[in-house]
Amino acid sequence: MEKIISLIEKEMEEAFEKAGYDKSYAKVTLSNRPDLCEYQCNGAMAGAKAYRKAPIAIAQDVAANLSAKSCIKEAEAVKPGFINIRLKESFAADYLNEMNEDEALGLTKADAPKMIIVDYGGPNVAKPLHVGHLRSAIIGESLKRVARAMGHKVLGDIHLGDWGYQMGLIITELRCRQPELPYFDDSFEGEYPEEAPFTISELEEMYPAASSRAKEDEDYREQALNATCLLQNGHRGYTAVWNHIMAVSVADLKKNYESLGVSFDLWKGEADAQRYIPDMLKRLKEEGHARVDDGALVIDVQEETDTKEVPPCMIQKSDGASLYGTTDLATLVQREQDYHPDEIIYVVDKRQELHFEQVFRAAKKAGIVREEMKLYFLGFGTMNGKDGKPFKTREGGVMRLESLIADIGEEMYKKITDNRTVSEENAARTAQIVGMSAIKYGDLSNQASKDYVFDVDRFTSFEGNTGPYILYTIVRIKSILNKYRENGGSLEGIKMEGARSESEKALMLEAAKYNEVIQAAFEDLAPHKICAYIYDLANVFNRFYHETKILAEEDGVRKKSYIALLVLTKKVLEASIVLLGFEAPERM
Ligand code: ARG
């Protein structure tokens, strides 16, 4: 459906043109005096200079020339030159009835669907997920869902950190602990065991142990570097260990992401990109995109317009080793070849911004991707504790994602069972659902690039700008609708009529913004806009609810109109939280 504001703007444009003014002045916004009118246009003020006329005179001309009138009932010029726009009573109601009948709630899909890859998650195998990975997963998942709702073809790629030195470390540690394993016997020619020689908890313990030992023990470090190099050159036994690490780690990651409601279409990783590297380097050298600098291979990416230095993108170290940038460039080679995407969105910690700037520039410059391919870096800020420092456990350690989810679930469980609104068996499940909303909404309601404070008390509160408050509002609507049905009411074929009260009108106009908000959230890669919207919507709904006797309304037509508005409000809230990546319980 066309955005409600565009429909109004069109009528104003006509009026501006008829009155002899340029239609670009016809910009309409929601009124900041909702008691006087629903929308306003300040174009007469903006045009005063160009037309050398008093704004009020222009406003009067425009108001006098308003004729289309399918949505606007009246436009009034008021001093010093505002145009107050009052809508026809039935207009918003008709618009909302149409939304109510549309499965997509009036969301306008893109005319030309794009192929978009979202690179998010980015966990490193063999290391537990921590809260840093939480942000990437939550934001990326939401962007993926929003882009899909807009009609685009979207692939979410987890881009595993599954290559490099960390793998050499684990192999070395395993070798120290169990030297008798066949992977370490170069004369072994038989089949390697199918079962991994470690569990996920052992793996997660081995990695940090190896990592700290390598920092103190030079010889051990050498071994790990050597193991990395052998693995990269296809060493048979080490490749088998690598496969075990992958299998054990990926199974655990899948479980964790599933509990977060996050899913990926592609489980590719840095390792998958490796086979594209030799050809890519060869071509970059031959075509003169790369140059040798102190034995290393680099691509210059500084541009004339830069105000600060952007160092060259290094793609091969002097010892021949590849780097993070090499892998990201090779991944682009692979993505271009396999998916030919129109856009790739990287959801990564903002501290990696320079790395991506270098990679993007190098990829364009060297023709690894087409000139018209859009590469976006959505860098997110740090999730801090109340002390303003990166979020930690009470003991000061790195907070594992699992523990965070469990802690919030417990907190929610306490609250829910205190309220006694839910039966014991449902309480645990409800606590999980509501807890997830607390975490995700708490994160997504902030502009992604900003650092934010993860405040457990605030995020789990049923009041204020929180996920649980949104869910509480949805549950409240569900319960009214249930009562309505229990009393014999039917939801079939009911329609909204023009609003009779301020709060009803406010709710209607807010619900009508859905289309506009989702589109903006997609265009600006900004899920926080959806949060801000549903918080406003929940607030106007709750005001309407407190001021209106809905089920006790005696006028049958009026009552049905209220119910239809509730149905739509619920659908808009539910569709919005799905786009944010969480759901609502039946009761709470
Ligand atoms: N594994 C990386 C990290 O933990 C993030 C990967 C981001 N994606 C990418 N294409 N580089 O920092």
Side-chain angles (χ1 to χ4, degrees), residues 48 50 138 182 190 224 243-244 272 275 319 324 388 459 474 479 483 538:
I138 293 179
N243 281 321
H244 286 313
D272 291 292
R275 62 194 170 96
D319 63 3
Y324 190 36
F459 286 8
I474 295 175
S479 106
K483 279 206 197 102

Side-chain angles (χ1 to χ4, degrees), residues 347-358:
V347 187
V348 185
D349 191 310
K350 72 175 173 199
R351 285 169 290 192
Q352 294 192 24
E353 180 160 17
L354 177 62
H355 163 77
F356 281 97
E357 186 61 47
Q358 292 170 312

Side-chain angles (χ1 to χ4, degrees), residues 403-477:
S403 330
L404 178 81
I405 296 175
D407 286 0
I408 299 288
E410 241 169 69
E411 190 66 34
M412 271 340 305
Y413 184 80
K414 266 190 250 152
K415 287 201 178 171
I416 286 168
T417 42
D418 279 355
N419 282 353
R420 288 176 190 284
T421 47
V422 190
S423 69
E424 183 61 31
E425 76 243 52
N426 282 334
R429 174 79 192 119
T430 306
Q432 263 178 10
I433 297 179
V434 184
M436 200 47 73
S437 80
I439 297 176
K440 291 195 171 182
Y441 189 94
D443 189 299
L444 292 169
S445 54
N446 301 283
Q447 198 178 323
S449 62
K450 300 235 165 83
D451 296 347
Y452 76 96
V453 173
F454 192 90
D455 181 337
V456 180
D457 295 330
R458 190 164 77 72
F459 286 8
T460 57
S461 168
F462 284 24
E463 280 151 40
N465 190 5
T466 70
Y469 169 67
I470 304 291
L471 297 193
Y472 192 77
T473 304
I474 295 175
V475 166
R476 170 174 273 168
I477 302 178

Side-chain angles (χ1 to χ4, degrees), residues 119 122-124 133 159 161 270 324 328 346 348 352 355-356:
D119 179 315
N124 300 311
H133 296 113
H159 198 76
E270 297 182 2
Y324 190 36
D328 269 320
Y346 293 82
V348 185
Q352 294 192 24
H355 163 77
F356 281 97

Side-chain angles (χ1 to χ4, degrees), residues 231-451:
L231 171 68
Q232 298 191 337
N233 288 306
H235 182 284
R236 189 166 162 267
Y238 291 1
T239 304
V241 177
W242 182 84
N243 281 321
H244 286 313
I245 299 174
M246 289 300 286
V248 169
S249 216
V250 166
D252 184 63
L253 285 171
K254 287 209 162 139
K255 198 185 78 201
N256 272 290
Y257 280 112
E258 198 175 319
S259 72
L260 257 186
V262 169
S263 70
F264 300 93
D265 308 287
L266 304 174
W267 281 76
K268 298 220 173 268
E270 297 182 2
D272 291 292
Q274 300 309 311
R275 62 194 170 96
Y276 297 88
I277 293 178
D279 275 355
M280 177 180 85
L281 292 182
K282 186 161 163 277
R283 191 178 73 76
L284 293 178
K285 271 188 275 189
E286 279 171 8
E287 294 178 6
H289 298 299
R291 68 175 170 87
V292 180
D293 180 58
D294 220 0
L297 202 57
V298 302
I299 302 180
D300 290 311
V301 293
Q302 181 89 34
E303 284 165 13
E304 269 174 26
T305 48
D306 288 336
T307 49
K308 57 177 198 294
E309 194 199 336
V310 184
C313 181
M314 204 199 275
I315 52 177
Q316 194 174 38
K317 287 205 273 192
S318 51
D319 63 3
S322 312
L323 301 105
Y324 190 36
T326 325
T327 303
D328 269 320
L329 283 173
T331 302
L332 282 171
V333 171
Q334 176 224 331
R335 286 178 180 163
E336 183 69 297
Q337 173 197 298
D338 294 350
Y339 311 109
H340 208 61
D342 300 297
E343 279 179 21
I344 305 180
I345 305 166
Y346 293 82
V347 187
V348 185
D349 191 310
K350 72 175 173 199
R351 285 169 290 192
Q352 294 192 24
E353 180 160 17
L354 177 62
H355 163 77
F356 281 97
E357 186 61 47
Q358 292 170 312
V359 167
F360 292 175
R361 288 184 183 193
K364 285 271 159 90
K365 204 178 153 197
I368 288 174
V369 300
R370 289 154 292 140
E371 190 48 49
E372 66 274 18
M373 192 207 278
K374 296 247 180 345
L375 296 167
Y376 295 108
F377 174 69
L378 184 67
F380 52 81
T382 308
M383 170 171 152
N384 289 324
K386 271 187 177 167
D387 57 359
K389 302 206 188 95
F391 199 85
K392 292 266 159 66
T393 60
R394 251 175 242 136
E395 294 72 35
V398 174
M399 181 60 126
R400 294 181 60 139
L401 199 52
E402 277 170 288
S403 330
L404 178 81
I405 296 175
D407 286 0
I408 299 288
E410 241 169 69
E411 190 66 34
M412 271 340 305
Y413 184 80
K414 266 190 250 152
K415 287 201 178 171
I416 286 168
T417 42
D418 279 355
N419 282 353
R420 288 176 190 284
T421 47
V422 190
S423 69
E424 183 61 31
E425 76 243 52
N426 282 334
R429 174 79 192 119
T430 306
Q432 263 178 10
I433 297 179
V434 184
M436 200 47 73
S437 80
I439 297 176
K440 291 195 171 182
Y441 189 94
D443 189 299
L444 292 169
S445 54
N446 301 283
Q447 198 178 323
S449 62
K450 300 235 165 83
D451 296 347

Side-chain angles (χ1 to χ4, degrees), residues 526-586:
H528 73 274
K529 294 197 167 171
I530 303 179
C531 294
Y533 170 62
I534 56 176
Y535 180 51
D536 286 346
L537 184 59
N539 281 336
V540 284
F541 167 76
N542 283 312
R543 181 156 74 90
F544 167 73
Y545 168 80
H546 288 299
E547 289 179 5
T548 315
K549 290 198 170 61
I550 299 171
L551 292 173
E553 171 62 51
E554 282 170 10
D555 177 340
V557 179
R558 199 89 283 277
K559 183 162 159 183
K560 281 189 185 150
S561 174
Y562 288 155
I563 296 295
L565 178 56
L566 260 58
V567 169
L568 180 69
T569 305
K570 171 173 152 308
K571 284 201 277 194
V572 169
L573 287 171
E574 283 177 333
S576 300
I577 62 171
V578 167
L579 295 177
L580 296 172
F582 55 93
E583 51 174 340
E586 277 315 303

